[in-house]
Amino acid sequence: MTLLTDDQKQLHDMARSFLAEEGAIKKQLRHWRDSGCKDGFGHGLWKQFGELGLTGICIPEAQGGLGLGATEAALVLEEVGRNLTPSPLLTTAVAAVRALDGSAQGERWFPGIVAGDTVAALAIDEGQHHAPAAIALEARRSGNGFVLNGAKQFVVHGASADLIIVAARTGGSAGEHDGVTLFAVERDTSGLQIENVTLADASKAARLTLADVAVDADAVIGEVDGGWTPLARALDAGRAGAAAELVGLASGASDITVDYLKQRKQFGRLIGEFQALQHRAAHLYGEIEIARAAAYKAAELIDRNDPRAELMTAVAKAKAGRSAALAVQEGVQMHGGIGMTDEHDIGLYMKREAVLGRLFGDWRYHAGRVAELSG
């Protein structure tokens, strides 16, 4: 893992203590799940994130943010994953902010994000699997603006978002990077239909239908036909952040599993004394540490604008996804029957991994990207 500066250590310590208290599973995930909340997260906690400056972690200081980078975001997101804290931090404060950075739309929406008042969502995928290049939603010129027609799936927090960043095609054809344009669409725009969906981990995503949604030219983020650049920037930031969150998830699942091994007795002995389980726990520890190193290396390269960042981000997302899957599988197995009950938290880690592991592309998608980018 990258050596941390004193300021980064201080940020990490603050995030760890804050989320262990305010973002704890019982206080957040279980509470909002059991209350049937339509958002799946608490706006009060999002406001607290804003008061701590975390919502503006990637927003420049000149625009009210902390002016930090992907590494600092990873430090916070690892603790979000460790506590399974439901929040729009990854999608809004990291991915969406990177898409908006440097645009007039960023000037408009950043103050609300910094304050913890605004939630943003990314509307990219249109099929069953992550395939951003396959964008086919049409944006047709009309007067001084555009008319959008098509559909999107797996729009995380789409029904709760004040701003939806829609990737549409103004030129070219599905599968091409050229001809993609990003649009800032407000939630109450006429013609936008939102179906809120509850995912396996009790988080919310949406299916969007855009039927003659009219937006003016000011809604364009960046350049017409040049949306792939801000989109790729947002995707890499989101993938690196998701990798860090998956590392935190894996660590949290591993911690409660190891604690269980130290408490559960069988045949008059603690099961943690059984060599087979020790070997499995040690193997898991090694896999998580490798994933952590990859996640922070990806964040570091993004912060340095290194051309290798795209490749390392794919490595990190693939490795973190595999490690998190191993952590929750081992956790449930080592807990035995109790691991299948809702009263025990280990099952919640498994459900979260099932969703987060696929956000911004699962490990198979990114293993393919690693092969492609490596020639």
Side-chain angles (χ1 to χ4, degrees):
M1 177 176 167
T2 303
L3 292 176
L4 302 179
T5 66
D6 289 341
D7 286 344
Q8 289 170 337
K9 290 176 182 176
Q10 187 175 23
L11 173 67
H12 187 216
D13 290 343
M14 180 274 289
R16 186 158 197 166
S17 60
F18 169 71
L19 287 164
E21 176 62 30
E22 297 299 327
I25 291 174
K26 183 177 181 180
K27 196 168 187 176
Q28 295 295 332
L29 175 57
R30 286 190 180 276
H31 171 74
W32 298 115
R33 184 199 66 172
D34 296 344
S35 64
C37 174
K38 71 176 183 63
D39 299 314
F41 68 91
H43 287 274
L45 181 66
W46 185 231
K47 190 71 176 177
Q48 286 181 278
F49 273 62
E51 292 167 356
L52 291 171
L54 301 179
T55 55
I57 196 166
C58 295
I59 293 175
E61 290 183 89
Q63 294 172 285
L66 293 182
L68 302 176
T71 300
E72 288 81 8
L75 292 170
V76 179
L77 285 165
E78 183 175 345
E79 298 311 313
V80 168
R82 189 186 308 277
N83 294 283
L84 303 185
T85 306
S87 84
L89 187 69
L90 174 60
T91 48
T92 297
V94 177
V97 161
R98 289 293 286 157
L100 294 166
D101 193 22
S103 70
Q105 288 293 335
E107 296 280 351
R108 176 182 177 186
W109 292 101
F110 281 173
I113 293 174
V114 169
D117 295 328
T118 297
V119 173
L122 295 175
I124 301 169
D125 291 318
E126 300 173 16
Q128 295 182 347
H129 303 287
H130 182 63
I135 292 164
L137 186 145
E138 179 192 42
R140 175 174 45 84
R141 287 189 181 273
S142 177
N144 191 38
F146 295 83
V147 174
L148 280 59
N149 283 283
K152 296 289 184 180
Q153 296 196 53
F154 198 27
V155 182
V156 177
H157 303 311
S160 309
D162 305 282
L163 162 68
I164 301 175
I165 298 174
V166 178
R169 190 159 289 285
T170 47
S173 57
E176 298 178 353
H177 293 176
D178 292 338
V180 171
T181 303
L182 298 187
F183 294 90
V185 179
E186 297 186 38
R187 178 174 52 188
D188 58 357
T189 301
S190 178
L192 175 61
Q193 300 174 28
I194 302 175
E195 179 190 357
N196 202 17
V197 177
T198 301
L199 304 179
D201 63 343
S203 66
K204 306 292 182 177
R207 297 189 183 99
L208 307 185
T209 301
L210 292 85
D212 292 329
V213 172
V215 295
D216 58 32
D218 291 339
V220 174
I221 299 170
E223 302 292 332
V224 175
D225 291 338
W228 188 260
T229 297
L231 177 58
R233 192 169 62 220
L235 287 173
D236 276 348
R239 289 160 177 164
E245 189 173 337
L246 283 163
V247 168
L249 182 156
S251 296
S254 176
D255 287 347
I256 62 175
T257 300
V258 170
D259 285 344
Y260 186 73
L261 295 182
K262 294 176 180 178
Q263 298 171 21
R264 178 76 166 92
K265 285 189 174 181
Q266 197 171 50
F267 308 117
R269 296 174 58 191
L270 292 171
I271 61 173
E273 296 177 8
F274 299 148
Q275 193 174 56
L277 295 185
Q278 291 176 354
H279 286 171
R280 288 166 64 179
H283 171 66
L284 175 59
Y285 175 82
E287 291 296 298
I288 294 173
E289 288 304 305
I290 294 170
R292 178 177 284 112
Y296 282 95
K297 186 63 177 181
E300 176 193 346
L301 294 179
I302 288 174
D303 288 337
R304 285 165 33 190
N305 292 315
D306 193 298
R308 298 171 296 169
E310 184 179 7
L311 171 60
M312 197 64 214
T313 299
V315 171
K317 185 61 167 67
K319 185 60 182 178
R322 292 287 281 166
S323 298
L326 177 64
V328 297
Q329 290 164 9
E330 290 286 63
V332 170
Q333 288 182 16
M334 291 188 194
H335 276 83
I338 195 175
M340 300 301 293
T341 64
D342 186 67
E343 296 96 37
H344 205 284
D345 289 343
I346 189 65
L348 300 178
Y349 282 87
M350 175 169 276
K351 292 175 181 178
R352 178 59 181 154
E353 182 277 325
V355 174
L356 184 59
R358 286 152 186 78
L359 181 61
F360 301 122
D362 64 11
W363 73 267
R364 292 178 179 85
Y365 173 86
H366 288 289
R369 289 185 72 238
V370 169
E372 181 181 354
L373 293 169
S374 299

